[in-house]
Amino acid sequence: MAIVRAGELNPEAAGVPPTVATVPIGATVPIFCWREFACGWGAAFVNITVTYPIYKMIFRQMLHGVQLTQAFGQLRGEGMTFLYRGIFPPLAQKTISLSLMFGVYDSTRRPLVEYCHVNPYTAKTVAGLAAGTVEAVLMPFERVQTLLADAAYHQKYRNTHHAFKIIILENGIKELYRGLVPILWRNGPSNAMFFVLREEADSRLPKRVSIVSQRTQEFVAGACIGAFISSLFYPLNVLKVTMQCQVGGPYNNMWTALRQVYISRDRKLRNVYKGVSMNCTRAFFSWGIMNTAYEQLKKVFY
């Protein structure tokens, strides 16, 4: 994502008259910037390989509504053989997803600001929604990841390829998109919030002289923003997991799934948030790692 300075969004803010161009005459900025896609891909790869075991504990809490110690006990009982079972779908999905997230966002925001002169916050919101919607194309990987992480399907699906094959043969391609609605509601708004808050933090926080201090600040900023947004949209992830752990049968809508979850959790809203503390912790480290890795990769590619 290209960092936008005040003068690029608002010429008056940088002391430049509105009639004076802020981009040198003859200079062109390509709408499609492959570097943003590459930085997003690399940041996601680092992030997923580090945090996947934590994700599995959160998943068990989402699915079964159990305490953290019980989720940890399940994974411990299954052994190291199954600890990284199912990592390929999120690795494939998240690396491409983050690549699209940063790339599509940048390729949408810059034309809106530079050529259409749209309000910068409106442009960021529209670009975030667009990036989140495009990401949803990759949800079959998320669907298979959900099934491979569920102990109930350990015997039915051997690996990612086998799961895709069996699901398509038995239920058709449509089955891979079960739970699409909560994913759309989650992706677009959360992306828009992330980019707006991230760029606000980047412009308002002081620039550190020390490299260690600057990296720490990047980590903390990304971590706090990610943890906040992940916690805010946590119920949508619970609905998504609940809907995607069913294979075959009727396609319940999001509100029916919410009602089922609410009833199954003793009609207590706090039980719907089971696993949110661990999810917040994972998101804190996950987005902190991602943000820091992204900033480091920008230095390599730019």
Side-chain angles (χ1 to χ4, degrees):
M1 181 196 318
I3 301 302
V4 181
R5 303 304 173 192
E8 295 174 320
L9 298 181
N10 183 1
E12 294 90 337
V16 181
T19 56
V20 178
T22 56
V23 179
I25 296 174
T28 58
V29 179
I31 292 177
F32 177 86
C33 183
W34 67 268
R35 294 178 180 85
E36 291 297 325
F37 290 88
C39 289
W41 189 95
F45 183 87
V46 174
N47 172 33
I48 293 299
T49 53
V50 172
T51 62
Y52 186 73
I54 303 175
Y55 157 78
K56 291 201 74 169
M57 284 193 287
I58 297 167
F59 170 83
R60 296 297 174 85
Q61 288 188 281
M62 285 181 177
L63 182 60
H64 302 298
V66 297
Q67 298 295 329
L68 175 61
T69 52
Q70 293 174 283
F72 177 77
Q74 288 180 7
L75 296 181
R76 186 178 180 182
E78 292 166 13
M80 285 295 295
T81 304
F82 290 102
L83 182 60
Y84 273 89
R85 173 183 162 87
I87 192 175
F88 179 75
L91 199 59
Q93 187 255 338
K94 282 296 182 183
T95 51
I96 301 174
S97 178
L98 263 292
S99 177
L100 289 173
M101 175 180 168
F102 282 97
V104 172
Y105 171 81
D106 184 68
S107 298
T108 304
R109 181 196 58 79
R110 283 192 295 106
L112 289 175
V113 172
E114 296 172 7
Y115 303 118
C116 301
H117 307 293
V118 175
N119 177 280
Y121 289 101
T122 301
K124 292 174 187 177
T125 302
V126 171
L129 291 172
T133 302
V134 172
E135 281 184 73
V137 175
L138 301 170
M139 77 161 285
F141 288 103
E142 198 168 348
R143 172 81 165 105
V144 171
Q145 173 193 354
T146 298
L147 295 175
L148 291 177
D150 186 358
Y153 295 100
H154 279 180
Q155 302 305 316
K156 184 172 183 178
Y157 304 120
R158 295 192 299 270
N159 51 46
T160 302
H161 177 265
H162 185 248
F164 270 112
K165 180 180 177 180
I166 297 300
I167 291 171
I168 293 174
L169 286 176
E170 293 183 354
N171 306 100
I173 294 177
K174 183 181 178 182
E175 184 67 32
L176 294 174
Y177 287 89
R178 186 186 289 267
L180 175 62
V181 175
I183 286 177
L184 288 173
W185 277 101
R186 177 199 67 187
N187 283 10
S190 63
N191 276 9
M193 286 185 65
F194 172 77
F195 283 113
V196 170
L197 293 176
R198 182 179 181 274
E199 292 184 9
E200 284 295 301
D202 182 73
S203 63
R204 295 176 185 275
L205 291 175
K207 300 303 178 185
R208 304 292 180 178
V209 177
S210 167
I211 294 177
V212 174
S213 298
Q214 184 62 32
R215 295 295 85 78
T216 301
Q217 180 171 284
E218 291 167 358
F219 177 88
V220 173
C224 291
I225 293 169
F228 168 71
I229 294 175
S230 180
S231 299
L232 183 64
F233 289 90
Y234 185 78
L236 288 173
N237 276 329
V238 173
L239 293 181
K240 185 266 298 183
V241 165
T242 302
M243 295 171 74
Q244 290 189 340
C245 277
Q246 177 185 346
V247 180
Y251 286 79
N252 295 327
N253 61 44
M254 190 172 70
W255 306 113
T256 300
L258 177 60
R259 184 172 179 273
Q260 290 175 348
V261 170
Y262 182 69
I263 293 173
S264 67
R265 303 288 172 91
D266 300 324
R267 299 178 183 273
K268 294 180 180 179
L269 186 60
R270 67 178 184 180
N271 288 343
V272 177
Y273 280 85
K274 276 280 182 67
V276 70
S277 58
M278 191 64 179
N279 181 72
C280 184
T281 302
R282 172 183 175 266
F284 182 88
F285 288 103
S286 177
W287 284 97
I289 292 169
M290 186 280 299
N291 196 48
T292 306
Y294 172 80
E295 293 295 340
Q296 292 306 298
L297 287 168
K298 278 207 309 182
K299 292 179 173 60
V300 174
F301 288 108
Y302 282 91

